[in-house]
Structures are given as structure tokens and as C-alpha cells.
């Protein structure tokens, strides 16, 4: 009789443990899937497009610096050439606006809990540059009130993109 009770108790304990282990594994898998879905959204809707646009603008900027732009110390708004203004207005500014829109429309996908300084600086630069560009219609030529954050911005975007891609690959490997 005691042997039957022990056998029945053992069977129940084994069944409960198997159930708990199964539930724990399922919960961990669901968490991995949720994390992967979030990272996929961050890459698809914010960091992926932002990274591609940063790379595009940086390539154009470097080409302009190597060809038509004067040395940094000699750059003055009143000395801007029509060629530079065309590149700024037709290539760089539309891409800058698109990047700003990505940041503001998808701020909920930012990795950090608040908007990082390089992103805030970039958005503020684009807004101040838009004002400077609009003033040119009235003959006023001046620099943007807020400078482009430069390497801080590009480094942030590139490192965030890489970080998310690494996490994505790790999660993909662990879910198979």
C-alpha cells in the first residue's frame, strides 16, 4: 500500500515538474520572440532606414568636401556657390528631413529610454538649417543656428544599428 502511494506521488510530482519545466521553456521562448519582434521593428522602421540615409548623406558630403566645398575655415554662407546650394537643397536637405521624420515618427523605437543627445542635436540642426535656408529668399545668408552634430550622430546611428543587428542574429540563433 505504501509502495502504491509512493509510486502515485512520484508520478504526480514528475508530471507537475514536467509541466512547470514546459511552461518555463514556453515563457522563455515567448519572451525571446517578443524581443525579436521589437528588434525587428526597431531595425525595419527606424535604425535600418536611418543607417542607410546616414551612409548616403555621408558619402555625398565626403564627395562634396573633396570637390566643390572650400576648406572648413573658408566656408561662409555669403560665399556659397550655386552648385553647393543645389547639392544642399536637392540632395542633403531632403535626406536630412527624412531622417528627422524617422526619428520623430519612431521615437518609441529608440533603444534608450530617452532620446539620445546626438539625435536631439541632429533634429535641432535640421530645424535651424530650414530657417536659414528659408531666409535666403529674403537675401539673408547666415549659418544654421545649431551645427550638425557630425561624428556623434553618425557614430550613434551606426553603432545602434550594429548593436541591434547583433542582438537580432543572437536571438535568431537561439530560437532555432
Amino acid at each position: 500500500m505504501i509502495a502504491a502511494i509512493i509510486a502515485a506521488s512520484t508520478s504526480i510530482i514528475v508530471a507537475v515538474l514536467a509541466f512547470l519545466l514546459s511552461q518555463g521553456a514556453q515563457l522563455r521562448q515567448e519572451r525571446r520572440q517578443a524581443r525579436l519582434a521589437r528588434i525587428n521593428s526597431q531595425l525595419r522602421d527606424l535604425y535600418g532606414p536611418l543607417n542607410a540615409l546616414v551612409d548616403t548623406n555621408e558619402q555625398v558630403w565626403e564627395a562634396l568636401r573633396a570637390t566643390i566645398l572650400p576648406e572648413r575655415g573658408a566656408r561662409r554662407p555669403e560665399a556659397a556657390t550655386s552648385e553647393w546650394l543645389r547639392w544642399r537643397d536637392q540632395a542633403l536637405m531632403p535626406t536630412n528631413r527624412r531622417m528627422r521624420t524617422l526619428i520623430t515618427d519612431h521615437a518609441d523605437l529608440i533603444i534608450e529610454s530617452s532620446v539620445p543627445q546626438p539625435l536631439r542635436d541632429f533634429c535641432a540642426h535640421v530645424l535651424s538649417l530650414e530657417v536659414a535656408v528659408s531666409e535666403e529668399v529674403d537675401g539673408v545668408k547666415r549659418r544654421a543656428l545649431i551645427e550638425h552634430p557630425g561624428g556623434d550622430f553618425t557614430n550613434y546611428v551606426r553603432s545602434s544599428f550594429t548593436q541591434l543587428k547583433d542582438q537580432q542574429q543572437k536571438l535568431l540563433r537561439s530560437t532555432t
Side-chain angles (χ1 to χ4, degrees):
M1 168 113 160
I2 293 182
I5 293 174
I6 291 174
S9 297
T10 304
S11 295
I12 291 172
I13 290 172
V14 168
V16 168
L17 283 175
F19 173 78
L20 291 174
L21 289 172
S22 173
Q23 290 299 309
Q26 182 177 349
L27 182 59
R28 283 189 302 278
Q29 179 64 16
E30 288 172 1
R31 285 182 181 156
R32 275 194 299 272
Q33 289 297 332
R35 179 73 183 127
L36 181 59
R38 167 96 173 142
I39 288 171
N40 286 341
S41 180
Q42 288 173 303
L43 287 167
R44 178 185 55 250
D45 298 328
L46 178 60
Y47 289 98
L50 190 58
N51 187 62
L53 292 169
V54 163
D55 285 347
T56 300
N57 252 21
E58 285 300 302
Q59 186 175 359
V60 169
W61 176 250
E62 290 302 321
L64 289 169
R65 283 182 48 200
T67 56
I68 69 168
L69 285 178
E71 293 297 317
R72 185 179 182 100
R75 293 183 205 148
R76 295 181 323 280
E78 63 276 2
T81 66
S82 61
E83 184 178 23
W84 156 246
L85 295 175
R86 258 191 312 279
W87 277 102
R88 182 198 66 189
D89 296 344
Q90 301 301 313
L92 298 172
M93 278 305 292
T95 305
N96 284 343
R97 287 183 188 107
R98 176 76 176 116
M99 288 188 284
R100 184 193 63 211
T101 299
L102 281 168
I103 294 165
T104 57
D105 286 357
H106 300 289
D108 61 311
L109 297 175
I110 289 173
I111 296 169
E112 296 81 5
S113 59
S114 62
V115 179
Q117 194 64 47
L119 297 183
R120 287 187 280 156
D121 291 346
F122 175 78
C123 291
H125 165 71
V126 174
L127 287 172
S128 70
L129 188 55
E130 285 182 326
V131 171
V133 168
S134 71
E135 288 178 326
E136 290 175 3
V137 173
D138 299 326
V140 177
K141 294 187 178 193
R142 68 174 100 197
R143 293 185 189 278
L145 181 63
I146 299 168
E147 287 191 25
H148 189 286
D152 290 344
F153 175 68
T154 57
N155 292 338
Y156 170 80
V157 171
R158 288 174 177 159
S159 67
S160 297
F161 176 78
T162 301
Q163 174 188 347
L164 287 170
K165 287 299 284 184
D166 290 346
Q167 289 177 21
Q168 180 190 50
Q169 291 305 310
K170 182 179 177 186
L171 286 168
L172 287 171
R173 285 191 300 273
S174 72
T175 58
T176 55

